Amino acid sequence: MAPMASDDSMTAAEVDDLRAARRRKAARYVVPVAVVGVAAVTIGLVPALADSGDPDLPKITAQELIEKIAASDVQQLSGTVKITTDLGLPDLGGLESSLASGAMESGDGGSSADPSSKLTELATGTHTLRVAADGPDKQKLSLLENASEYSLIHNGKDVWGYDSESNEVYHSTTSGAEAEKGAEKDKDVPATPKDMAEEALKAVDDTTSVTVDGTAQVAGRDAYRLVIKPKASGSTVGQITVAVDSKTGLPLKFTLTPSSGGAAVVDAGFTQVSFAKPAASTFDFSPPKGAKVTEGEDIEGGAHGADDKGAIDKGALDKGIEKHAKSEEEFGKGLDGLKVIGEGWNSVAVFDTGGEGMPSGSEAGGEFGGFLDSLGDKVTGKFGSGTVFSTRLVNALMTDDGKVYVGAVDKAALVKAADAGK
């Protein structure tokens, strides 16, 4: 091998260092090839080696870990969350976006910055969120998109939503001790591992198996793995895994895998997290020049229910309470006769629409009836006949006589529930 031209002007030690660096660079390309060559030999060692990098933490019981989550009181944090949702929804050829844009243009006063509609985008695909919190009065969540950003900011009595793509702003107010609850109502969609873990733990009962399954490292933090599983068959939920920070008790990662196997239905976790106090400017917001601002209803009362000093206008509050009660009454009438069959993970909600079921087939429902048939599966039983509409998590049976059965259960469980109702 010919000497390098630069050897004459370098010390022997420098030459050795340079040659070693080049060998390391070459090895970068050689190692993957070698790994492929021995993959078949080492495949049996994967289970033993997979946990070799996991942190060695003190033993903890499932009950102790659940109590640790409940006692977690993280007031300050900032970080990045990646969330992937795969419900297996049918491809409607852009129908969803067309309906959404049509609703926005129908003159109903809607805003692309309204949190209740914007954050529903998390129901499908992969998204990156930036989150920050500083106590109960300051939180910020930003949904990062290709060339735009949507932010939801709660700072004191103000809740702001801002869509940079449309340059639209949504604003509502809250005050006093209800500030944090009010911001959560406006957000309305579980968006962080903590939100999702709290919802999952509500389902823990006698029909549930809860265990601690080793440890993990998430976003550079040592964590325990809490595994929640339905005990009985029939649920579409395979298991839920929550990575819980060993020091703070904060859920760092949430994964829901379906009983049918395959990719997770929901996989949400921090990729970076800090428990340092965020800068105060993180929660500052003023509508940009030229932005369209939509004033939402006051979270505790009617529109503009609080003055600029945070005092509640009693007249507006009374109107807000009256409106809320009326909407709840109307909702209750719409679900008149709602009941639940079964328990725990296998429970099925049942209600009667009072109609004649969904139009089916081109003769009964024209093109729309045929379209619905393409989305669902026809089923029959003691109840008669109907159509099952399926996702990887929630399924619904709509019978031809107007009854609806919904649950995180498989098709057979829905038919069994419908038969039991006869």
Side-chain angles (χ1 to χ4, degrees):
M1 180 177 175
M4 292 177 291
S6 58
D7 282 2
D8 292 340
S9 59
M10 301 173 69
T11 66
E14 289 173 332
V15 171
D16 287 341
D17 288 342
L18 181 58
R19 285 173 174 162
R22 288 181 176 177
R23 283 196 297 270
R24 286 193 297 272
K25 185 176 181 180
R28 211 178 298 164
Y29 302 97
V30 175
V31 170
V33 178
V35 168
V36 171
V38 299
V41 178
T42 60
I43 194 70
L45 298 177
V46 171
L49 298 176
D51 294 334
S52 61
D54 292 340
D56 185 14
L57 297 173
K59 298 294 183 183
I60 190 171
T61 67
Q63 181 62 37
E64 289 170 338
L65 191 52
I66 290 175
E67 290 172 358
K68 191 176 186 69
I69 295 173
S72 178
D73 188 30
V74 174
Q75 295 287 314
Q76 299 171 334
L77 68 79
S78 58
T80 304
V81 175
K82 181 179 179 181
I83 176 170
T84 298
T85 309
D86 180 10
L87 291 170
L89 295 171
D91 183 2
L92 301 182
L95 179 62
E96 310 100 311
S97 56
S98 298
L99 291 172
S101 60
M104 294 305 298
E105 295 170 2
S106 64
D108 60 0
S111 167
S112 68
D114 188 336
S116 61
S117 58
K118 187 65 179 180
L119 292 185
T120 57
E121 293 180 13
L122 299 179
T124 183
T126 297
H127 303 275
T128 299
L129 306 173
R130 278 203 305 256
V131 297
D134 184 10
D137 295 328
K138 294 183 179 181
Q139 298 96 32
K140 181 176 181 179
L141 182 151
S142 297
L143 172 60
L144 310 182
E145 298 170 329
N146 291 333
S148 61
E149 178 177 324
Y150 173 79
S151 291
L152 178 61
I153 305 113
H154 170 214
N155 191 347
K157 68 182 181 66
D158 292 305
V159 177
W160 299 94
Y162 175 60
D163 185 354
S164 68
E165 184 175 23
S166 63
N167 198 29
E168 291 191 25
V169 175
Y170 171 88
H171 177 240
S172 62
T173 58
T174 185
S175 60
E178 296 298 312
E180 186 175 15
K181 293 180 182 178
E184 288 298 313
K185 286 181 183 178
D186 245 9
K187 188 173 72 174
D188 208 32
V189 177
T192 66
K194 181 176 183 292
D195 297 334
M196 296 173 185
E198 287 176 348
E199 290 299 314
L201 288 173
K202 290 177 183 177
V204 173
D205 57 17
D206 292 340
T207 68
T208 310
S209 165
V210 185
T211 58
V212 177
D213 185 19
T215 61
Q217 198 166 72
V218 178
R221 304 280 302 185
D222 292 347
Y224 292 101
R225 296 176 74 250
L226 184 70
V227 176
I228 304 168
K229 291 182 181 180
K231 288 181 179 179
S233 60
S235 174
T236 53
V237 177
Q239 73 174 39
I240 294 171
T241 305
V242 183
V244 183
D245 187 72
S246 62
K247 290 186 177 179
T248 67
L250 179 74
L252 298 173
K253 187 174 175 65
F254 175 97
T255 306
L256 188 158
T257 54
S259 56
S260 59
V265 173
V266 180
D267 187 33
F270 282 96
T271 58
Q272 182 274 326
V273 66
S274 168
F275 296 110
K277 180 183 176 71
S281 59
T282 303
F283 310 99
D284 291 341
F285 181 80
S286 296
K289 185 177 180 181
K292 174 188 173 183
V293 180
T294 299
E295 288 290 338
E297 289 187 350
D298 179 77
I299 293 169
E300 295 171 81
H304 310 292
D307 63 20
D308 58 1
K309 296 181 181 179
I312 297 296
D313 180 322
K314 190 177 184 305
L317 177 60
D318 289 341
K319 288 180 181 178
I321 293 173
E322 182 181 350
K323 181 177 180 181
H324 179 70
K326 185 177 180 181
S327 64
E328 282 200 343
E329 182 181 352
E330 291 173 351
F331 179 75
K333 288 180 180 178
L335 294 180
D336 189 26
L338 177 68
K339 62 179 180 179
V340 176
I341 297 176
E343 62 177 357
W345 300 89
N346 286 10
S347 60
V348 175
V350 187
F351 62 94
D352 193 338
T353 65
E356 299 179 355
M358 298 294 290
S360 178
S362 57
E363 292 184 5
E367 291 183 4
F368 183 65
F371 173 69
L372 289 176
D373 281 349
S374 71
L375 296 180
D377 296 325
K378 295 296 290 184
V379 294
T380 58
K382 295 177 182 178
F383 66 90
S385 60
T387 305
V388 173
F389 298 93
S390 302
T391 72
R392 298 178 69 217
L393 186 61
V394 178
N395 296 325
L397 165 59
M398 306 183 75
T399 66
D400 291 345
D401 62 358
K403 290 186 175 62
V404 180
Y405 298 80
V406 183
V409 297
D410 57 29
K411 186 193 303 184
L414 287 176
V415 171
K416 183 178 179 181
D419 283 343
K422 298 305 289 183

